[in-house]
């Protein structure tokens, strides 16, 4: 479910060309191929289950991609992969795009799992953003702002960025403040619904004002 939720995020959908119908079909493939947890058998090492590759994403994608080339009549297998039935020829491109998404996700997870310097963390995060996301031209500022905040974290660390090694939890704590959402100026009188705090409510040029949360 975490991988499918990631695939449904707008920047990832844009990067891999996934519309609502494609995501619904991918979800059906995932359920029928038996994917449960773990990108591959190696991802199960912390649970001492590296010898069990069944029900991983790798095993499910093997079934999907073999199913794009042959059907499951006669229960013929390729290696350990039983072809997933009913993968239509016009869905081969979608299967390839989704397999590429999971493959790139695996590379990103591997680069973000190890203990490394802040410089290496920033490089890995920038690479993950480039590999997994894309935005329309009008939203390019989001990518630029993310890069700017990561560069600012490096500048603030100074020489320590190349020396001190950080775990995932350390990097997360260090970058959480910089990458969190920020309030923007309320655009009043645009003809749209405006959500804001009580602070700018001294002079409100609206015909209707709704107060939420008074019971708190």
């Amino acid at each position: 479910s975490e991988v499918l939720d990631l695939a449904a995020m707008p920047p990832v959908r844009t990067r891999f060309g996934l519309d609502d119908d494609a995501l619904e079909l991918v979800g059906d493939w995932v359920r029928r191929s038996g994917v449960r947890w773990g990108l591959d058998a190696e991802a199960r090492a912390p649970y001492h289950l590296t010898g069990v590759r069944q029900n991983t994403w790798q095993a499910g994608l093997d079934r999907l991609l073999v199913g794009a080339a042959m059907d499951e009549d006669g229960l013929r297998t390729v290696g350990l992969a039983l072809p997933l039935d009913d993968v239509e020829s016009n869905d081969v491109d979608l299967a390839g795009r989704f397999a590429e998404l999971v493959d790139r996700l695996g590379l990103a997870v591997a680069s973000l799992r190890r203990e490394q310097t802040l410089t290496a963390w920033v490089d890995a995060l920038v690479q993950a953003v480039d590999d997994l996301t894309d935005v329309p031209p009008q939203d390019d500022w989001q990518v630029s702002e993310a890069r700017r905040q990561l560069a600012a974290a490096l500048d603030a660390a100074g020489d320590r960025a190349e020396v001190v090694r950080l775990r995932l939890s350390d990097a997360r704590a260090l970058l959480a403040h910089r990458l969190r959402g920020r309030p923007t100026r309320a655009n009043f009188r645009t003809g749209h619904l405006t959500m804001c705090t009580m602070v700018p409510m001294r002079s409100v040029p609206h015909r209707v004002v709704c107060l939420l949360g008074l019971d708190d």
Side-chain angles (χ1 to χ4, degrees), residues 41-116:
E42 192 62 34
R44 296 177 170 181
Y47 308 95
H48 306 289
L49 292 172
T50 51
V52 183
R53 70 183 299 275
Q54 290 84 353
N55 303 111
T56 62
W57 276 101
Q58 184 183 56
L61 288 176
D62 285 348
R63 290 197 61 193
L64 172 62
L65 297 177
V66 172
M70 56 189 291
D71 58 38
E72 65 177 5
D73 290 347
L75 298 179
R76 294 173 296 169
T77 62
V78 176
L80 298 177
L82 176 68
L84 185 65
D85 205 12
D86 296 328
V87 179
E88 304 294 338
S89 58
N90 55 350
D91 295 327
V92 171
D93 179 64
L94 173 60
R97 280 183 279 130
F98 188 69
E100 182 180 1
L101 188 164
V102 177
D103 183 60
R104 293 187 179 198
L105 176 61
L107 294 175
V109 169
S111 68
L112 300 174
R113 183 181 288 161
R114 52 181 174 262
E115 185 177 294
Q116 53 195 342

Side-chain angles (χ1 to χ4, degrees), residues 183-190 193-197 199-201 206:
T184 58
R185 291 186 60 187
N187 295 318
F188 292 124
R189 309 192 75 169
T190 61
L193 179 67
T194 299
M195 304 290 291
C196 60
T197 66
V199 176
M201 294 291 99
H206 289 289

